[in-house]
Amino acid sequence: MEKAFHYYMPVKILFDYGVSQKMASYIAGENVLIISDPFLYQNGVAQRIGESLIGKTVGYFSDIEPNPSCESVDAAAAAARALKADCVIGLGGGSSMDVAKIVACLTRDEGSIYDYYSGGTKTFSERKTMLICVPTTAGTGSEVTNVGVFTNKKAGIKMPLVTDRFWADYAVIDPELTYSLPPAVTASTGMDAFCHAIEAYWNKESQPMCDMLAMGAMQLILRFIKRAYDDPNDLEARGAMIKASMIAGVAFSQTRTTGIHALSFPLTTEYHASHGTACSITLPAFIRLCREGAAEKLQALSAYLGYADAGALADAVEALMESMGMPTRLGQLGVREENLEHITKVGLGAAIIQLTPAVMNEQTVYALLKGIL
Amino acid sequence: MEKAFHYYMPVKILFDYGVSQKMASYIAGENVLIISDPFLYQNGVAQRIGESLIGKTVGYFSDIEPNPSCESVDAAAAAARALKADCVIGLGGGSSMDVAKIVACLTRDEGSIYDYYSGGTKTFSERKTMLICVPTTAGTGSEVTNVGVFTNKKAGIKMPLVTDRFWADYAVIDPELTYSLPPAVTASTGMDAFCHAIEAYWNKESQPMCDMLAMGAMQLILRFIKRAYDDPNDLEARGAMIKASMIAGVAFSQTRTTGIHALSFPLTTEYHASHGTACSITLPAFIRLCREGAAEKLQALSAYLGYADAGALADAVEALMESMGMPTRLGQLGVREENLEHITKVGLGAAIIQLTPAVMNEQTVYALLKGIL
């Protein structure tokens, strides 16, 4: 018997070199707010997109920080309301796109993010403001998910919000926006995308369409990530990587992630590793751990990717990470043995960890971490 | 440089054994019209679904014929209006689902199908009536496309109508509905699905997400079609086949089809071959023909499917068809040499033929047909 599954991914995807300069015809309405981080505003990327929107009134909100706070969301929503925005564009990595998702809702729905999230009691009405996501890294896949992750500074927690209102109208995938990514960011964001794909693939909630997409995305990443790392202007590699990141995003948008992402949370917040580094540092160990629980699937994947077995795949992934100067041992992030118990506990607090195809408890997670200390 | 592409497929997909008996909670509104062919009404399949919709008022329209006419569409629309349908369910093969697509529009939009199609000047407003597609064969993929094909008897033409209004709200994929398919139908509809997948894959409009899905669908079909043919109650094979058919549908919903489908039109209308037979009869020849124009992709596909090269794949597909009693020569359909010129001409009249990765003109198409006479 085949497993039951659902699939729903209503985002319109546009992929092309330079397509982010050609969005005007897709935008209904007059007033457009472009949400980005300060860097994308200062280097002119946001304005170049704004200037391409001939005939539109364009505003900018460019104060988005990594791990965006609820206060930033409310400030961006105020800007959108002041502009009477008909369309919100999230330009950047996951942070800017996540903020754009909720701001597109808050443009017409009243109140603060706190009213809808983390104890809030309001629910979003049908979203009338258009939402366009434009990634500038090849990693998060946020442009094709219905999830936004926001940080409640008061309570000291980072929490996801999931709603069908967050599916963008358009995901605009333009490899040209990634040419300026530094090699270290190319590496860490690209390996984050690889984690999305493999976590969708071995997920207890895995399903056939996502398996197919995840396998294809992993093949693209293994083929092209080092080329994009070595030569930031390798157009084919840049195109392949941002495409693979989006496709991996489609895959995990249906399944969620697993232990890799669960354990990345404490590594990000407490050791200041980038999200992609915090994920991929446990990737080889998780491949080895899941060899039992997902034996058949990992064998099929390894063969598809050109490796004899999952052990060889894990070795290859680890060597690839080392070749791009990425840490592969927790000690390199400053983690010490006495910290492992706490990291284990925080990781086990994330429900997604139980979607891993392996027993996940204090002993097994501690042992996994100890093995890569 | 990677090729530009678009992707949009907003249908919610539900796959499970018995899921067609559990649709009540997905249906908004009170009045539901189930559209099917007479056979699915007489054998009680339509009523069993209707009876599972506790609390709904259910009507039936069961006069859908193969290659449905505009007159059938208008009659079904009248039934939907009389019922004040909030939801239209298309139950069956492509014909019933295609009619349901347009009836869901005509429930609230005025007039006849002729007003919207083949010279008509009206356009559909936003569709308010829910549309659910429930396939009972594993072949057409119509449940996940935005295309309806209707026959204008007055003008003697069969024409597709394509609109975003035709994306169903739900595609409900229930393997149990296919257990009663006779082996010959399992074979022909399953090979139709294989054609959808390979035509999406080698299509001049091919794109990476559809390539991945198409490859996966082809692998499933080659693994499971003979099992489903040999044992209609092989639950795993039935699940795999209807899943593969849906996934192939997603793939070609983005790319359209190619020469195989173009040439099937005259073979269906003039030689009364079933759609799946009319498609697959030219499949091995098209694989051989496309070896040049799609060399790299066909080599990758062949390796993925476990064959040395495209020639070996073509031989295997032909042997598989023969093992299921399917015709592989045009003579078996009653075609004679003097008919080939006409078939060539009609096939070349379908615009999709030029999406084939090979030169398609009077000489090449004639030669292909002559080779399998």
Side-chain angles (χ1 to χ4, degrees):
Chain A
M1 300 274 282
E2 309 278 308
K3 255 188 350 184
F5 67 87
H6 291 189
Y7 179 91
Y8 179 53
M9 210 296 295
V11 179
K12 290 189 176 85
I13 296 164
L14 311 177
F15 171 93
D16 200 9
Y17 294 79
V19 65
S20 66
Q21 293 288 314
K22 296 168 189 163
M23 295 193 284
S25 63
Y26 297 103
I27 296 176
E30 292 306 312
N31 304 322
V32 182
L33 182 68
I34 299 179
I35 293 178
S36 73
D37 60 40
F39 180 72
L40 286 166
Y41 186 77
Q42 283 152 19
N43 70 7
V45 171
Q47 289 99 316
R48 272 203 300 282
I49 288 176
E51 285 160 15
S52 76
L53 302 176
I54 309 290
K56 309 289 182 191
T57 302
V58 179
Y60 300 89
F61 184 91
S62 55
D63 286 340
I64 302 302
E65 73 275 37
N67 304 310
S69 68
C70 294
E71 285 64 33
S72 294
V73 167
D74 281 341
R81 289 167 182 156
L83 185 69
K84 298 190 194 308
D86 306 299
C87 174
V88 174
I89 297 176
L91 173 74
S95 301
S96 298
M97 292 191 280
D98 285 4
V99 171
K101 289 174 184 178
I102 190 163
V103 167
C105 297
L106 291 172
T107 303
R108 303 211 192 174
D109 283 346
E110 289 185 347
S112 152
I113 179 175
Y114 288 111
D115 296 324
Y116 298 85
Y117 159 89
S118 181
T121 54
K122 289 189 180 178
T123 55
F124 294 117
S125 63
E126 198 182 332
R127 178 168 56 74
K128 301 283 187 189
T129 305
M130 184 177 242
L131 170 63
I132 300 179
C133 286
V134 187
T136 59
T137 65
T140 76
S142 177
E143 66 274 15
V144 287
T145 78
N146 63 337
V147 183
V149 182
F150 309 103
T151 298
N152 181 340
K153 280 186 190 166
K154 294 176 196 166
I157 51 168
K158 186 174 162 181
M159 268 180 57
L161 184 53
V162 182
T163 161
D164 277 348
R165 311 300 183 208
F166 284 1
W167 295 114
D169 295 289
Y170 289 95
V172 175
I173 315 292
D174 185 351
E176 292 183 2
L177 296 175
T178 66
Y179 296 165
S180 59
L181 289 179
V185 178
T186 299
S188 66
T189 53
M191 290 311 297
D192 181 27
F194 189 92
C195 292
H196 292 151
I198 204 164
E199 290 183 275
Y201 179 78
W202 68 34
N203 202 296
K204 286 185 183 167
E205 299 287 333
S206 74
Q207 51 110 307
M209 295 175 69
C210 296
D211 284 355
M212 295 168 190
L213 295 170
M215 288 175 81
M218 285 186 266
Q219 188 178 60
L220 283 170
I221 294 166
L222 292 187
R223 269 192 201 158
F224 287 103
I225 190 170
K226 188 64 168 37
R227 273 177 55 179
Y229 175 85
D230 287 336
D231 176 5
N233 293 312
D234 183 327
L235 307 193
E236 187 187 6
R238 288 300 196 187
M241 285 302 297
I242 196 168
K243 188 168 83 175
S245 164
M246 175 275 288
I247 294 172
V250 173
F252 90 90
S253 76
Q254 308 296 306
T255 62
R256 292 179 289 164
T257 53
T258 64
I260 289 173
H261 269 70
L263 289 173
S264 81
F265 302 146
L267 297 175
T268 311
T269 52
E270 298 171 33
Y271 299 89
H272 310 292
S274 73
H275 175 71
T277 298
C279 285
S280 44
I281 201 163
T282 63
L283 168 61
F286 267 103
I287 297 177
R288 293 182 186 111
L289 181 69
C290 294
R291 266 183 300 189
E292 262 188 60
E296 202 178 320
K297 287 191 79 166
L298 274 177
Q299 185 55 46
L301 175 67
S302 302
Y304 175 75
L305 296 174
Y307 299 98
D309 55 32
L313 172 62
D315 293 346
V317 165
E318 193 166 342
L320 175 65
M321 288 166 59
E322 281 167 356
S323 79
M324 298 188 294
M326 296 181 74
T328 56
R329 313 297 297 185
L330 293 172
Q332 293 169 278
L333 304 183
V335 177
R336 288 179 301 182
E337 189 164 352
E338 57 264 36
N339 307 131
L340 297 185
E341 208 172 315
H342 173 71
I343 296 172
T344 299
K345 203 179 149 198
V346 176
L348 282 167
I352 49 169
I353 201 168
Q354 297 305 339
L355 297 174
T356 313
V359 175
M360 292 275 102
N361 61 31
E362 288 187 11
Q363 288 71 46
T364 59
V365 173
Y366 187 93
L368 180 144
L369 294 169
K370 182 87 189 298
I372 57 168
L373 187 61
Chain B
M1 299 274 284
E2 308 277 311
K3 254 188 350 184
F5 68 88
H6 291 191
Y7 179 91
Y8 180 53
M9 208 297 294
V11 179
K12 290 189 176 85
I13 295 164
L14 311 177
F15 171 93
D16 200 7
Y17 293 79
V19 65
S20 66
Q21 291 288 315
K22 297 168 188 162
M23 295 194 285
S25 64
Y26 297 103
I27 296 176
E30 292 308 312
N31 304 323
V32 182
L33 182 69
I34 300 180
I35 294 178
S36 72
D37 59 41
F39 180 72
L40 286 166
Y41 186 76
Q42 284 151 20
N43 70 5
V45 170
Q47 289 99 314
R48 273 202 300 283
I49 289 176
E51 286 160 14
S52 77
L53 302 176
I54 310 290
K56 309 289 181 191
T57 302
V58 179
Y60 300 88
F61 184 92
S62 54
D63 286 338
I64 302 303
E65 74 276 35
N67 305 311
S69 68
C70 294
E71 285 64 32
S72 294
V73 167
D74 281 340
R81 289 169 184 155
L83 185 70
K84 297 191 194 309
D86 306 300
C87 174
V88 174
I89 297 177
L91 173 73
S95 302
S96 297
M97 293 192 279
D98 285 3
V99 171
K101 289 174 183 178
I102 190 164
V103 168
C105 297
L106 290 172
T107 303
R108 304 213 192 176
D109 283 347
E110 290 182 348
S112 151
I113 178 174
Y114 287 112
D115 296 325
Y116 297 86
Y117 159 89
S118 181
T121 54
K122 289 188 179 177
T123 55
F124 294 118
S125 63
E126 197 181 335
R127 177 168 56 74
K128 301 284 188 191
T129 305
M130 186 177 239
L131 170 63
I132 300 180
C133 286
V134 186
T136 60
T137 65
T140 75
S142 177
E143 66 274 16
V144 287
T145 77
N146 63 337
V147 183
V149 182
F150 309 104
T151 298
N152 181 340
K153 281 187 191 165
K154 294 178 198 169
I157 51 169
K158 187 174 162 182
M159 268 180 58
L161 184 53
V162 181
T163 159
D164 277 348
R165 312 300 184 209
F166 283 1
W167 295 113
D169 294 290
Y170 289 96
V172 174
I173 315 292
D174 185 350
E176 293 184 2
L177 297 174
T178 65
Y179 296 166
S180 58
L181 288 179
V185 178
T186 300
S188 66
T189 52
M191 290 309 297
D192 181 29
F194 189 91
C195 292
H196 293 150
I198 204 164
E199 289 183 277
Y201 180 78
W202 68 34
N203 202 295
K204 285 185 183 166
E205 298 288 333
S206 74
Q207 51 109 308
M209 295 175 71
C210 296
D211 284 354
M212 296 170 190
L213 295 170
M215 289 174 80
M218 285 185 267
Q219 189 178 60
L220 283 171
I221 293 166
L222 292 187
R223 271 191 201 160
F224 287 103
I225 190 170
K226 188 65 169 38
R227 274 177 54 180
Y229 175 85
D230 286 335
D231 176 5
N233 294 311
D234 182 328
L235 306 193
E236 187 186 7
R238 289 299 196 185
M241 286 302 297
I242 197 169
K243 190 167 82 176
S245 163
M246 176 275 288
I247 294 172
V250 173
F252 91 88
S253 77
Q254 309 296 306
T255 62
R256 293 179 288 165
T257 53
T258 65
I260 289 174
H261 270 70
L263 290 174
S264 81
F265 301 146
L267 297 175
T268 311
T269 53
E270 298 171 33
Y271 300 89
H272 309 292
S274 74
H275 176 71
T277 299
C279 285
S280 44
I281 200 162
T282 62
L283 168 61
F286 266 104
I287 296 176
R288 294 183 185 110
L289 181 70
C290 294
R291 266 182 301 189
E292 262 188 59
E296 203 178 319
K297 288 190 82 167
L298 275 177
Q299 185 55 46
L301 174 66
S302 302
Y304 175 75
L305 296 174
Y307 298 99
D309 55 31
L313 173 62
D315 293 345
V317 165
E318 193 165 343
L320 175 65
M321 288 166 59
E322 281 168 355
S323 78
M324 298 188 294
M326 296 182 73
T328 58
R329 314 296 297 184
L330 292 172
Q332 293 170 274
L333 303 183
V335 176
R336 288 180 300 183
E337 188 162 353
E338 58 264 36
N339 307 131
L340 297 184
E341 207 172 317
H342 173 70
I343 297 172
T344 298
K345 203 179 149 197
V346 177
L348 283 167
I352 50 169
I353 202 168
Q354 298 305 338
L355 297 173
T356 312
V359 175
M360 291 276 103
N361 61 30
E362 288 187 12
Q363 288 71 44
T364 59
V365 173
Y366 186 93
L368 180 143
L369 294 169
K370 182 86 189 299
I372 57 167
L373 187 61

